[in-house]
Amino acid sequence: NDQLRQRVAFALSQIFVTSGLDINVAYGMATYQQIFLDGAFGSFEDLLVKVTKSSVMGDYLSMVNNDKPVAGVNPNENYARELLQLFSIGLWEQNLDGTPLLDATGQPIPSYDQSTVEGFAHVFTGWTYPLLPGTTQKTHNPKNFLGDMTAVASNHDSGAKQLLNDVIQPAGLAM
């Protein structure tokens, strides 16, 4: 009776890929796969939020413990780049029929540039693993794949960030 939901969940897991070799604990992968079973017929936005906050995805694409810039070290861009390239808008702008949108010289128009990736990398700072039972919050909690990542405001970059279509996220916004 549940075949369609199971198939949609499997298809979503092939788009929002993680690795059982990197996250080699069954409880972590089961928690991650449950996102797709629960959200198979829900909104894409809700699904993307759940995947983004997942400690499994955070670990796999280096977003967990990705802190605001310190001493010239910028945030890891891995999740930001995958979010833009694979999980949402793709590399190139498209016409309504799915063909590439071309500029005046006949070249495809990029959907975003490096400054956009950097802006999103700064957006995705300040998250750590969820608390283990009986422990206290730290700025970088020990690995734990049961539940969503926990926000640590002191590790979040609260400065202005360039996002898509030259939109600037103003400084001071909370996580």
Side-chain angles (χ1 to χ4, degrees), residues 5-78:
R5 185 174 69 97
Q6 295 285 334
R7 288 176 183 238
V8 170
F10 176 74
L12 290 168
S13 76
Q14 301 304 294
I15 297 168
F16 298 99
V17 175
T18 58
S19 170
L21 297 175
D22 289 345
I23 311 337
N24 59 1
V25 289
Y27 80 90
M29 293 308 287
T31 300
Y32 185 69
Q33 293 301 315
Q34 192 65 46
I35 293 170
F36 306 118
L37 290 167
D38 293 344
F41 302 130
S43 77
F44 183 75
E45 179 182 0
D46 291 345
L47 186 66
L48 202 53
V49 167
K50 288 297 288 178
V51 165
T52 298
K53 289 184 176 181
S54 165
S55 53
V56 169
M57 181 58 79
D59 187 271
Y60 182 64
L61 289 181
S62 311
M63 191 181 103
V64 70
N65 298 328
N66 190 26
D67 296 337
K68 64 185 174 185
V70 176
V73 177
N74 285 314
N76 187 298
E77 298 173 1
N78 200 13

Side-chain angles (χ1 to χ4, degrees), residues 55-113:
S55 53
V56 169
M57 181 58 79
D59 187 271
Y60 182 64
L61 289 181
S62 311
M63 191 181 103
V64 70
N65 298 328
N66 190 26
D67 296 337
K68 64 185 174 185
V70 176
V73 177
N74 285 314
N76 187 298
E77 298 173 1
N78 200 13
Y79 184 73
R81 188 175 311 283
E82 299 301 324
L83 171 72
L84 294 166
Q85 181 177 338
L86 299 177
F87 302 161
S88 60
I89 62 173
L91 289 172
W92 310 105
E93 291 190 22
Q94 297 180 353
N95 294 303
L96 291 176
D97 65 359
T99 58
L101 190 61
L102 304 177
D103 65 15
T105 66
Q107 297 301 307
I109 300 171
S111 297
Y112 58 89
D113 61 16

Side-chain angles (χ1 to χ4, degrees), residues 2 13 29 46-47 64 75 93 98 102 104 117 123-124 128 141 149 152:
D2 198 32
S13 76
M29 293 308 287
D46 291 345
L47 186 66
V64 70
E93 291 190 22
L102 304 177
V117 173
V123 165
F124 297 124
T128 190
N141 291 331
M149 291 186 287
V152 179

